[in-house]
Amino acid sequence: MTTDSLRSGPGANGRTSRDRARLPVRAHLPACGAAAASGVPVLDVVVPVYNEEKDLRPCVLRLHDHLSRTFPYAFRITVADNASTDSTPAVAAALAAELRGVRYVRLEEKGRGRALRTVWSESDAPVLAYMDVDLSTDLNALLPLVAPLISGHSDLAIGSRLARSARVVRGSKREFISRAYNLILRSSLAAGFSDAQCGFKAVRSEVAERLLPMVEDSGWFFDTELLVLAERAGLRIHEVPVDWIDDPDSTVHIVRTAAEDLKGVWRVGRALAVGALPLDRLARPFGDDPRDRALTGVERGLARQLVGFCVVGVLSTLFYLALYSLFRLGVGPQLANGGALLVSAVANTAANRRLTFGVRGRDGAVRHQAQGLVVFAIGLALTSGSLAALGAATGSPSHSTELAVLITANLAATVLRFLLLRAWVFPARACPEPEPEPEPEPDSDSEDVR
């Protein structure tokens, strides 16, 4: 149970972002005066705890004092107790009764991810954050962390201990494990963020509303999964270099946590590879400037699609040439060309579907492959015709001459293939105009926690 009832968060005005196909345009949150008049805190900082009777009170007192003195918006501090068995519940309840703007939430199951999912899902604050109870991160980084979310510039924000200008004090063992883990994320999941596990993060509520149901983990891998999915969906992640001092009394079991993290990396990587996640629900409209949405007839994403198509094309061509050389050992040039082109065409269509044109999931996959085979037939006609013309002209051309002619023919077919894929197989889907947000009604029961 809780000492403060949980509100129905982002949907309090009767509509949620889930009602729309895409995320709304990011907007700057109301200025301090308007936010205070609404009675709803702008920031909800969650402190997940498990058996932290010693550190909880000084942590909350210090955080509350810092926010009261420096944060220019209304705020709330939520202590999320993960089934503690010591006197942590009593300490948290006393803090909630003593300090304005502090509340206590009790969960009967352990798991940092579970605690964050529960509180974030029910919070009415437009910006949601969390930090570890040991306050290893310097609190002066809190305002820079949430400022890009308040201004509408970014969707998520993370503190980074591995950024160049960060200042970190910790043992060599933890330093090695942290850097090794982030290297694994970069190599296996192509993660672009620098520090997945720093206990200092924030997210806009409309993003959390869409993103949290996709995150399966309820423990320490929760952070990583959240960030990987957000990044793959094209959301903007802001990184803040932090000053961080390791807590020597940390109760985190490093080996067990590392093993669970590796399992999570495998699970998320597999889900991304098969397109099992509806990441298109996290897409933002093109540009936040109304002038961008007023443009008509402007091709968008062409440069990115060309780069993706070229990368896929190079790899497909190498695959095709290798197959052709292999098939040529047992059959004639026409059969070798047809077989190699058919196999590589299926792989090419699947790769372009995912990487170039951003189509995810299994819907329409069979139709796309059928259309891709039509494009294949056109390429087959060009390459086969080139081989036939070469045979008629020279009689018995060498293998190197055949390859040269095929490469030239494929270059011509590639241009036509891209145009057909873009205009016919994977046509651009129109982005619906975002509906104007209704003005939220002031909640007379809410209080300004400043």
Side-chain angles (χ1 to χ4, degrees):
M1 61 179 294
T2 70
T3 61
D4 186 25
S5 61
L6 297 177
R7 295 181 177 276
S8 61
N13 61 8
R15 292 178 70 245
T16 68
S17 58
R18 192 175 285 111
D19 296 330
R20 296 181 293 276
R22 303 166 75 86
L23 281 168
V25 173
R26 283 188 299 264
H28 197 303
L29 297 178
C32 183
S38 70
V40 176
V42 170
L43 175 66
D44 194 347
V45 183
V46 182
V47 182
V49 293
Y50 173 72
N51 289 347
E52 297 287 355
E53 59 183 3
K54 175 183 175 182
D55 294 332
L56 178 56
R57 182 173 179 81
C59 162
V60 173
L61 290 176
R62 180 181 165 198
L63 176 59
H64 188 274
D65 176 69
H66 177 84
L67 288 171
S68 299
R69 289 185 296 102
T70 66
F71 194 67
Y73 291 88
F75 65 85
R76 178 194 296 132
I77 300 172
T78 301
V79 179
D81 175 23
N82 291 292
S84 293
T85 57
D86 62 0
S87 62
T88 295
V91 176
L95 287 167
E98 175 184 345
L99 298 175
R100 190 181 187 189
V102 175
R103 68 172 178 172
Y104 162 53
V105 177
R106 168 76 176 184
L107 289 86
E108 299 303 330
E109 294 182 85
K110 292 176 60 177
R112 181 178 69 176
R114 179 177 288 106
L116 294 177
R117 186 198 317 277
T118 300
V119 178
W120 281 359
S121 297
E122 301 297 335
S123 178
D124 56 350
V127 177
L128 311 168
Y130 96 90
M131 62 181 59
D132 292 335
V133 69
D134 55 20
L135 294 186
S136 295
T137 304
D138 182 12
L139 291 178
N140 286 328
L142 182 55
L143 183 55
L145 181 81
V146 301
L149 308 185
I150 293 174
S151 70
H153 174 271
S154 300
D155 298 294
L156 299 92
I158 65 173
S160 176
R161 299 163 296 185
L162 303 180
R164 186 178 300 275
S165 56
R167 297 192 300 174
V168 177
V169 178
R170 62 176 165 181
S172 57
K173 179 181 178 181
R174 286 181 176 269
E175 180 76 11
F176 173 78
I177 291 174
S178 179
R179 292 190 178 274
Y181 179 64
N182 283 281
L183 180 61
I184 291 173
L185 293 181
R186 288 177 179 271
S187 58
S188 61
L189 298 179
F193 45 87
S194 64
D195 192 349
Q197 289 288 22
C198 181
F200 196 67
K201 296 183 176 69
V203 60
R204 285 177 66 103
S205 62
E206 74 271 16
V207 175
E209 184 184 14
R210 297 283 186 96
L211 191 53
L212 291 178
M214 301 183 193
V215 179
E216 293 185 18
D217 192 81
S218 296
W220 291 95
F221 187 70
F222 175 89
D223 300 51
T224 301
E225 187 170 357
L226 186 84
L227 292 174
V228 169
L229 299 186
E231 186 176 60
R232 287 298 186 92
L235 298 180
R236 184 175 295 159
I237 301 176
H238 177 73
E239 294 199 19
V240 178
V242 296
D243 298 340
W244 194 87
I245 300 177
D246 190 15
D247 178 15
D249 297 325
S250 175
T251 58
V252 178
H253 193 289
I254 297 178
V255 176
R256 186 189 307 126
T257 301
E260 292 299 322
D261 286 348
L262 292 178
K263 292 179 183 178
V265 169
W266 167 254
R267 174 177 55 79
V268 172
R270 181 175 58 184
L272 292 172
V274 300
L277 298 169
L279 297 181
D280 56 329
R281 294 185 66 246
L282 297 172
R284 288 283 191 187
F286 175 80
D288 291 347
D289 190 324
R291 293 172 298 178
D292 294 332
R293 300 190 296 279
L295 295 176
T296 58
V298 177
E299 296 291 339
R300 295 168 180 168
L302 178 60
R304 183 190 61 79
Q305 289 179 356
L306 280 173
V307 172
F309 182 79
C310 289
V311 172
V312 172
V314 169
L315 296 177
S316 298
T317 300
L318 295 175
F319 182 50
Y320 160 77
L321 292 176
L323 288 176
Y324 177 82
S325 299
L326 179 64
F327 294 162
R328 191 67 177 84
L329 297 176
V331 298
Q334 293 289 2
L335 286 177
N337 174 62
L341 198 56
L342 177 60
V343 175
S344 61
V346 173
N348 181 275
T349 300
N352 275 312
R353 182 177 188 269
R354 177 75 51 78
L355 302 176
T356 304
F357 299 100
V359 179
R360 303 181 184 277
R362 297 183 176 87
D363 292 344
V366 175
R367 174 174 57 83
H368 292 153
Q369 283 292 350
Q371 292 173 308
L373 290 178
V374 175
V375 178
F376 149 77
I378 297 175
L380 178 63
L382 286 174
T383 54
S384 297
S386 299
L387 284 176
L390 177 64
T394 60
S396 298
S398 64
H399 181 64
S400 60
T401 303
E402 287 180 351
L403 290 179
V405 170
L406 286 174
I407 291 174
T408 303
N410 267 291
L411 289 175
T414 295
V415 177
L416 181 60
R417 185 183 306 122
F418 176 74
L419 296 176
L420 288 174
L421 288 177
R422 193 168 195 267
W424 180 48
V425 183
F426 307 112
R429 293 168 291 180
C431 296
E433 289 291 330
E435 301 177 23
E437 293 285 350
E439 291 293 331
E441 297 181 3
D443 189 346
S444 58
D445 296 331
S446 301
E447 62 178 1
D448 183 0
V449 300
R450 285 296 310 285

